[in-house]
Amino acid sequence: MGTVEETGFFQDPPRLHDEWAEDLALQRYLERVLPADVHEAVVPSLAEMGHLAATDLKTWSDAMDQPSEEPRLRGFDAWGNRVDEVETSPYWRRIAAVAHEHGVVATGYERANGAYSRVHQFALAYLFAPSSALYSCPLAMTDGAAKTLLVHGERDLVERAVPRLTSRDPATAWTSGQWMTERAGGSDVGRSETVARAEGPLWRLTGTKWFTSAVTADMALTLARPEGNGPGGRGLAMFYVEVRDDGGRLNDLRVLRLKSKLGTRQMPTAELALDGTLAHLVGPPADGTRNITPMLTVTRLWNAVTAASGLRRGLALARDYARRREAFQGALVDQPLHQATLAWLRVQHEASLQLAFRAVELLGRDEAGVATEREQQVLRLLLPITKLTTGKQAVAGASEALEAFGGAGYIEDTHLPQLLRDAQVLPIWEGTTNVLALDVLRALADGDLLAAYVEEVRRAAAAATSPATATVAELALDAADHATMWVTQAADAGQAALQHGARRLAMTLGRSLQAALLAAQAQHDLDVHGDGRAVAVAQRFAAEGLDLLEAPGERRAQDAALARDEPLPVPGAG
């Protein structure tokens, strides 16, 4: 006879079924933007990845979500030789093989579908990322390194590295790291202390890299200051480094330690000491922060797509659980208040998907040589806006998704806390929200980018022709137009006023385009499917508020005093 514990109630956990078949938002988006022949060509690979994401990849990723499977640093061999070998889980290697074989990077460079190749590639990445145990991070840097090397056109490095970085063969495929962060600098990369000394045609790098993701990579792009160069970012140069030589020995570098992180625990992140590391100069021996921009273009886009996919995963699990969980005399999914929560999650997901993939579209057009000058301008401004907007949405969405499970969402071996732990890095990696907001300000000083961006909002809004979708589109245009006015007014008020409102400006621009794109998608769904679900999503998103701007400088003195913990005058006192 069983005990009470063995025979009592056990909650059925949430399950994934098929991440492609059940992602209506991704399906309808691709249907809207892809030509029919391209759509037909790419769907089989997406369907295969969607199945893997719900089955094998998810199983392996969950298996890695425990301390015994986290990366370990073996500093020395049995005879006392320093080896600095980072040992990773066999599941990590299985996940890597799937990524390479299915072309999660390669698809973007094979260009089988011309300007739409990036859309195909990032749709694969979107399906892959939530079940990848963060292998999406080394893939992002691999993609960024391939693009950066191609942009700079160093023939020997391109011929050696790019075929490996874009290979589908796990036996020959390389991954890349990105070594930028140092103790002195952090987000202020221009304070880098790593020194580069010329040695014939090559260079030797000496310094410490404080935060290096994917330390098991085969190569990396990094920044260092050539001897004699001046301070700041302009004094830095970009270098190509291979981590080990042909004999497997480290390239005059030491792995000081692996970082103990809040999230992304499955991925090895290390602190490195470069002790005369052999390197190749990429580009000119100065302006390194500008030269590494192609890398950041790609990695920030991966960040945004990963944010959208994380929101989708939280929604998928919460929705499935709501159908299985009985409470208050009914299934959670039938409780009106819980329905409102799931609806909110859906809105955040679809808004982030539309914005991230619009940036993907423009990158693909730019690389295919068919982007207009206006589209190139939009892309420059859209990348930081997309990354910061979706990063914030991902964290808020992951928090709500966990709460939808009650106490189970707080229990580590349900694998649900991983959603929030891993989401929290998305507003931090590749530039924090404030750093990117300042990047938006810098971009606005370069030509007529803001006007081009507002035209982009107008282009998307023009597709919304029904009364319901046009109302959302009008709100999007109002917010974008107000942003233009605000920039002029803030510039008159001074640089401090611009910086004080930079985050609200960037979020307003992001949300205005999200609303316009949601309206365009809603119009498509009405016209093609007679389905009003996307209309409801667009309306709910717009109702949350698109325009976050205040009068330039408003509350700046208050914020300064509150930040410094200084006294403020009594309101209304004479």
Side-chain angles (χ1 to χ4, degrees), residues 472-527:
V472 175
E474 185 177 349
L475 291 171
L477 283 171
D478 287 346
D481 287 339
H482 184 220
T484 301
M485 294 171 53
W486 184 91
V487 169
T488 300
Q489 294 166 353
D492 291 340
Q495 189 65 25
L498 272 170
Q499 288 195 11
H500 180 254
R503 180 190 283 226
R504 289 179 176 272
L505 171 65
M507 293 296 293
T508 295
L509 290 171
R511 293 182 66 81
S512 65
L513 184 52
Q514 282 182 317
L517 292 166
L518 287 170
Q521 184 67 54
Q523 191 64 53
H524 167 272
D525 289 9
L526 284 177
D527 295 343

Side-chain angles (χ1 to χ4, degrees), residues 111 161 190 194 199 204 219 222 235 255 282 363 405 462 466 470 499 519:
R111 302 271 176 88
T194 300
E199 187 175 281
R204 294 281 182 180
M219 60 151 287
T222 189
V255 182
V282 182
L363 177 64
F405 294 95
S466 71
Q499 288 195 11

Side-chain angles (χ1 to χ4, degrees), residues 181-196:
T181 306
E182 299 191 14
R183 288 185 299 241
S187 295
D188 186 0
V189 176
R191 296 182 64 191
S192 172
E193 297 176 331
T194 300
V195 175

Side-chain angles (χ1 to χ4, degrees), residues 559-568:
D559 286 350
L562 293 172
R564 297 171 180 150
D565 198 18
E566 296 173 345
L568 280 168

Side-chain angles (χ1 to χ4, degrees), residues 22-69:
E22 296 190 355
D23 194 337
L24 183 67
L26 178 63
Q27 291 177 26
R28 294 273 177 89
Y29 161 77
L30 294 174
E31 178 186 83
R32 176 171 68 86
V33 302
L34 294 179
D37 59 333
V38 174
H39 187 269
E40 183 179 4
V42 306
V43 163
S45 66
L46 299 178
E48 188 173 5
M49 182 61 78
H51 175 72
L52 284 167
T55 54
D56 289 351
L57 286 171
K58 180 67 163 61
T59 299
W60 300 336
S61 178
D62 285 350
M64 286 186 67
D65 187 30
Q66 52 186 319
S68 63
E69 295 295 329

Side-chain angles (χ1 to χ4, degrees), residues 108-137:
Y109 294 86
E110 293 164 348
R111 302 271 176 88
N113 294 301
Y116 298 100
S117 297
R118 281 292 193 179
V119 175
H120 181 198
Q121 177 210 346
F122 274 100
L124 286 168
Y126 165 95
L127 293 165
F128 171 84
S131 296
S132 73
L134 264 294
Y135 198 78
S136 54
C137 175

